Amino acid sequence: MIYDFLLQLTGNAAISSLINSIIPLTFIIPFALFAVYLERKVSAHMQDRLGPMRVGWHGWLQSFADILKLLQKEDIVTADADKKLFNFAPVLVFAGSYAAFAAIPFSSAYIGTNLDLGLLYIVAVTSLVVAGILMAGWGSNNKYSLLGAVRSAAQIVSYEIPTTLVIVTVIVMTGTLNLHKLSTDQTSSFYNWLIFGGYAAGWHKFALIPSMFVGFLVIFISTLAEVNRTPFDIPEAESELVAGYHTEYSGMKFAMFFLAEYANMFAVSAIVATIFFGGFQSPFGYLGNTLGISWLRPIEEFFWFASKGIFFVFVQMWLRWTLPRLRVDQLMAMCWKYLIPIAVVNLIIVALIMVL
Amino acid sequence: MTTYFKNIYTALYTLFVGMKITFKHLFVPSVTIQYPEVKLPMADRIRNRLYVNMDDCIGCDQCARACPVSCISIETVKSMPTEDLGKTSQGKKKALWVTKFDIDIAKCCFCQLCVFPCPTECIYMTDAYEFSEFERSGLNYSFVTLNADEIAEKKSNFAKMEAEKAAAKAAPKPPKAEEPASKPAGDA
């Protein structure tokens, strides 16, 4: 664990905790820059365009140029805005999505805090984002912002139910809420991943596979809705609400919302990967083990974790450029009439299999 | 109940159909043209900026007369009888110094009416279309090959010749009957 190493190095719990808490940020910011570039390239190529091509080789410096532009922009606060809420909202939104990274294991050597209630903590703390979004919408004193914020709140609150139900399904199966333990238990071969029935032996494993696929689909769809991505992007629907709750923001505050959105995308992808796809575990075994180099293994684990996370982020982008936006009633029907009943039935089936 | 499961099935099925299509398009070559580096070839008869090949121009002024917006202005000076101006590529003898051949492309309406009357086919439309300028005067193209000194020389030569002709005409007038007497004066 990096925390123990830091503690040994500095001899001070406060300093090592501080450094430990900054480590995910050093991953999220480069990831956000990369994801913005990836998003533009993926969207462009899916529409037979080229995307950014001018800034650097094939436009790879485009996101740096964007960030530079955002840094230089004027910070506009509208006259009738509720200044306190308006200024605090982006911080809270980013804090909410960043807090989720505390319990996500990046590799066997790094996890912010090895919480026993990791999954519950993540479900709880990401709800802060709703508060931040509502504050942004209300503080902007703009009807489009408010509409976007209210839609977002309704959507996130609704879609947390199927997410949590699937997480409960996983808890029923594994008996742990600790994401680090969940990852280490899905030992380093892909057939031990929970999507393939987990590490249980015997007929249980095969009986669980269909339920796990259903659970994966449900949690993927509902987390997609939780991070307000297309086809569930009605809170920031450009054609209806200008930009939703961040319409009135400019410069770095807007960049904070953007960063929070991409951090959130990675957070939910990482959670899905950790729950169903073995987290940081390699699907084939480790080069470090084969060569007998012990320090290589955590790096490989981090590589696999990042690859899985980025793959699911790619799938989210892929869906974004495939599907049109849902109507509000369709959105609610999808959650309450389809995802929740399916998740409940799935939970019951998994519980029965585990009891038998 | 059947519609419920049918809905789920259709949603998933159509989702995968859509994802397949977008994934295929991820690898379809892009249709974007990187414009300043890559340009589409223009059609053969495209009408863009005019060009005048001054080697072939005989200064006949037909293009200027054909122009509906008077964007071509030509001035010519007659050459000395002793001067040889060469021939056009089609073998026509040139007899005029073209001292001014300006095309104000800002006025041009790209009707191509100037191209057809040209007897030597020296004025034609090219496929150059990127000629924006910061000043409108920059769009006034001069095609003259002679420099200012040469133009002044040709003009003064012509003026001298005219003056001499006029002098020759004026001089023999009083002795109208004596024709042989006037000849040496004209030659000199």
Side-chain angles (χ1 to χ4, degrees):
Chain A
M1 287 285 181
I2 283 181
Y3 177 75
D4 301 324
F5 173 72
L6 286 168
L7 198 62
Q8 227 172 22
L9 202 71
T10 58
N12 187 326
I15 293 172
S16 37
S17 298
L18 194 69
I19 299 171
N20 203 36
S21 65
I22 290 169
I23 290 171
L25 200 64
T26 59
F27 172 74
I28 292 168
I29 290 173
F31 166 76
L33 291 175
F34 170 72
V36 171
Y37 176 69
L38 186 73
E39 171 108 58
R40 301 179 77 167
K41 276 291 182 190
V42 165
S43 65
H45 282 282
M46 278 178 177
Q47 296 168 346
D48 297 354
R49 295 182 286 118
L50 283 173
M53 287 292 279
R54 295 280 151 187
V55 195
W57 183 81
H58 278 247
W60 71 278
L61 286 168
Q62 186 67 51
S63 355
F64 291 94
D66 288 345
I67 277 289
L68 273 178
K69 185 198 77 174
L70 282 173
L71 278 170
Q72 292 169 33
K73 282 222 167 185
E74 187 190 350
D75 180 31
I76 299 168
V77 181
T78 45
D80 290 337
D82 188 331
K83 305 268 180 327
K84 275 182 205 152
L85 292 183
F86 187 82
N87 289 328
F88 189 54
V91 180
L92 192 65
V93 169
F94 181 67
S97 51
Y98 187 62
F101 283 88
I104 295 174
F106 280 76
S107 93
S108 63
Y110 182 74
I111 177 165
T113 33
N114 198 357
L115 280 175
D116 280 339
L117 290 173
L119 270 170
L120 181 67
Y121 162 75
I122 287 172
V123 169
V125 86
T126 44
S127 304
L128 267 182
V129 175
V130 188
I133 286 171
L134 273 176
M135 276 162 70
W138 182 258
S140 298
N141 199 4
N142 172 327
K143 56 188 142 193
Y144 290 122
S145 297
L146 185 60
L147 269 175
V150 171
R151 281 184 183 190
S152 181
Q155 179 176 328
I156 294 178
V157 167
S158 307
Y159 275 87
E160 254 172 17
I161 300 166
T163 314
T164 318
L165 280 171
V166 173
I167 287 172
V168 170
T169 315
V170 172
I171 297 164
V172 165
M173 243 182 96
T174 60
T176 179
L177 282 158
N178 185 331
L179 279 165
H180 190 262
K181 189 172 178 298
L182 206 62
S183 302
T184 33
D185 282 353
Q186 301 176 56
T187 47
S188 60
S189 288
F190 64 89
Y191 48 80
N192 281 333
W193 292 353
L194 284 193
I195 189 89
F196 298 115
Y199 39 85
W203 67 273
H204 284 92
K205 184 177 163 72
F206 300 99
L208 281 169
I209 291 174
S211 298
M212 287 294 105
F213 269 94
V214 171
F216 163 66
L217 275 177
V218 170
I219 199 172
F220 189 79
I221 293 166
S222 54
T223 52
L224 192 64
E226 273 191 68
V227 296
N228 299 333
R229 296 279 299 176
T230 323
F232 306 105
D233 70 335
I234 60 158
E236 40 197 280
E238 298 101 41
S239 43
E240 300 164 25
L241 298 177
V242 192
Y245 52 86
H246 54 65
T247 305
E248 295 289 350
Y249 285 88
S250 67
M252 269 328 277
K253 283 184 204 150
F254 175 75
M256 287 275 270
F257 276 116
F258 225 67
L259 188 63
E261 183 179 332
Y262 280 92
N264 247 333
M265 272 166 75
F266 188 79
V268 297
S269 300
I271 291 162
V272 169
T274 309
I275 292 176
F276 286 108
F277 291 90
F280 53 71
Q281 299 283 5
S282 150
F284 317 113
Y286 296 97
L287 202 66
N289 280 0
T290 324
L291 298 174
I293 313 165
S294 58
W295 55 263
L296 195 62
R297 192 175 153 160
I299 297 167
E300 275 183 77
E301 284 171 345
F302 174 70
F303 166 77
W304 286 111
F305 175 79
S307 312
K308 285 170 193 172
I310 289 167
F311 173 75
F312 285 113
V313 169
F314 169 74
V315 176
Q316 288 180 351
M317 290 171 183
W318 186 2
L319 280 168
R320 172 169 181 184
W321 299 103
T322 303
L323 297 172
R325 186 183 306 132
L326 266 68
R327 247 186 293 129
V328 181
D329 64 313
Q330 289 170 335
L331 186 91
M332 288 299 149
M334 173 126 181
C335 180
W336 295 98
K337 282 160 84 177
Y338 292 91
L339 293 182
I340 292 176
I342 292 170
V344 169
V345 170
N346 198 37
L347 173 61
I348 293 167
I349 292 170
V350 171
L352 280 176
I353 293 172
M354 293 313 287
V355 166
L356 287 172
Chain B
M1 206 61 194
T2 25
T3 36
Y4 183 81
F5 287 108
K6 223 175 174 180
N7 278 346
I8 294 172
Y9 172 75
T10 337
L12 283 174
Y13 174 74
T14 49
L15 173 67
F16 286 121
V17 168
M19 284 176 86
K20 196 177 133 197
I21 289 168
T22 40
F23 196 72
K24 264 188 198 159
H25 275 270
L26 205 52
F27 302 103
V28 168
S30 141
V31 294
T32 311
I33 287 156
Q34 293 283 294
Y35 161 63
E37 284 92 42
V38 185
K39 286 171 193 166
L40 279 182
M42 306 295 273
D44 286 342
R45 298 195 295 169
I46 197 81
R47 303 205 296 226
N48 280 311
R49 185 163 69 181
L50 278 167
Y51 181 73
V52 183
N53 182 3
M54 286 309 286
D55 291 344
D56 280 2
C57 181
I58 55 168
C60 65
D61 205 32
Q62 290 200 53
C63 49
R65 267 177 277 152
C67 182
V69 291
S70 309
C71 72
I72 307 174
S73 58
I74 301 173
E75 278 173 15
T76 51
V77 170
K78 270 185 195 158
S79 61
M80 301 283 103
T82 50
E83 283 173 323
D84 181 23
L85 278 70
K87 287 180 174 179
T88 67
S89 55
Q90 289 165 322
K92 220 172 223 173
K93 243 195 125 190
K94 293 207 263 186
L96 297 166
W97 291 111
V98 181
T99 55
K100 188 185 175 195
F101 199 123
D102 287 359
I103 298 179
D104 193 350
I105 209 80
K107 285 186 203 161
C108 181
C109 66
F110 303 98
C111 60
Q112 214 182 8
L113 288 176
C114 53
V115 172
F116 303 115
C118 185
T120 58
E121 289 173 14
C122 73
I123 184 166
Y124 49 83
M125 294 284 185
T126 59
D127 60 0
Y129 51 89
E130 300 150 308
F131 46 91
S132 38
E133 295 277 350
F134 287 103
E135 298 288 328
R136 199 177 291 176
S137 57
L139 288 168
N140 195 6
Y141 295 106
S142 177
F143 291 94
V144 174
T145 45
L146 303 171
N147 61 33
D149 290 345
E150 283 173 320
I151 289 170
E153 190 200 326
K154 307 297 174 200
K155 277 187 175 162
S156 69
N157 277 355
F158 179 68
K160 253 185 229 164
M161 196 173 82
E162 286 285 279
E164 279 161 13
K165 265 189 187 167
K169 257 185 193 171
K173 259 190 179 166
K176 232 180 185 177
E178 286 174 66
E179 250 186 274
S182 66
K183 261 195 176 169
D187 284 338

